[in-house]
Amino acid sequence: MRDGVMSVGEGTRIFPDVEACIDCGGCVVACKRTWDVPRDEQRISIATMLEGQEAAAGLNASNTEALDQGESPGETSIPMQCYHCENAPCVSVCPTDSLMKSDSEFVEVQDDLCVGCQYCLSACPFGAPQFPDDDDGAASVVGSGGKMDKCTMCEERQDVGKGPACAEECSTDAILVGTPAEIADELDRRDSGSFFNQQSMEIVFGEDAGEFS
């Protein structure tokens, strides 16, 4: 397994090291190839903020340190997908219980219960829910936005001891997989930070957000 994949299976989480991401798109390709995701759909994407801008002097390779100092982090690329949050807002707002936390702590979608209302999309701060067959106008009235699709964290791969495809094929190990403690320790070892604010960290990791302080 890649260096970024420290453990798999029940209780593992997935989280980005933004200082390692180079926006190569390898994770997007790996996901599409592994799960036969259509070309115009994606379960993981790279969000780039402050494109083309430099960070404050001396901090161009230290995005999280720049934020801690109240300075601009400059151009920053963030692998965005479902982080299978401990306090998942999507699960909380789903009116049909289509979204649920599994026994393995992954956030799963029950297709037969999804009515395409898109409440989960409004609730998720990371833009994970996707609606490939959406009709925005109809969805707002009768809930016919198509079935929701999102990152599954390659649960089937983890069941046989493999890491998520995106993390296994990330050339810079920018996608970390493991327990919250393992991820926090790896970020510390790399002298990287979480980049997300405290509220987001509590959504993703719940009480384990304290591991990252």
Side-chain angles (χ1 to χ4, degrees):
M1 292 191 292
R2 298 283 313 187
D3 289 344
V5 181
M6 294 155 283
S7 61
V8 296
E10 184 176 348
T12 58
R13 313 306 295 275
I14 193 164
F15 196 70
D17 176 3
V18 300
E19 295 189 12
C21 181
I22 58 173
D23 193 14
C24 69
C27 55
V28 179
V29 174
C31 179
K32 286 180 177 291
R33 185 181 64 248
T34 302
W35 300 111
D36 197 25
V37 178
R39 183 171 60 180
D40 58 347
E41 301 172 19
Q42 53 191 26
R43 293 178 175 178
I44 181 172
S45 61
I46 308 298
T48 300
M49 56 180 287
L50 304 178
E51 187 170 3
Q53 297 185 28
E54 292 188 4
L59 296 171
N60 219 36
S62 303
N63 310 84
T64 54
E65 185 178 348
L67 286 181
D68 288 342
Q69 296 182 17
E71 301 285 355
S72 170
E75 181 171 309
T76 304
S77 296
I78 311 171
M80 298 290 282
Q81 62 203 99
C82 178
Y83 298 125
H84 297 265
C85 302
E86 177 65 26
N87 297 319
C90 60
V91 174
S92 299
V93 303
C94 180
T96 62
D97 293 329
S98 170
L99 284 156
M100 58 174 286
K101 291 291 290 288
S102 70
D103 291 340
S104 299
E105 300 183 29
F106 301 113
V107 176
E108 297 182 345
V109 185
Q110 300 178 88
D111 288 343
D112 59 326
L113 296 179
C114 179
V115 296
C117 66
Q118 301 190 13
Y119 286 1
C120 55
L121 179 59
S122 298
C124 176
F126 309 112
Q130 304 296 311
F131 292 85
D133 301 314
D134 73 334
D135 178 341
D136 292 337
S140 65
V141 179
V142 297
S144 59
K147 302 295 184 183
M148 193 267 265
D149 184 54
K150 69 172 187 65
C151 158
T152 65
M153 204 171 153
C154 292
E155 185 173 0
E156 295 89 340
R157 287 173 57 90
Q158 294 198 52
D159 286 344
V160 295
K162 297 180 179 180
C166 60
E168 290 282 13
E169 298 195 34
C170 178
S171 60
T172 60
D173 292 320
I175 300 176
L176 305 179
V177 178
T179 65
E182 288 172 333
I183 293 172
D185 287 346
E186 179 63 13
L187 288 173
D188 283 343
R189 186 186 71 80
R190 299 180 181 190
D191 199 24
S192 296
S194 66
F195 197 78
F196 292 171
N197 63 27
Q198 187 62 32
Q199 182 180 9
S200 296
M201 295 297 287
E202 290 174 358
I203 289 173
V204 176
F205 292 106
E207 294 181 357
D208 288 325
E211 297 278 358
F212 296 83
S213 58

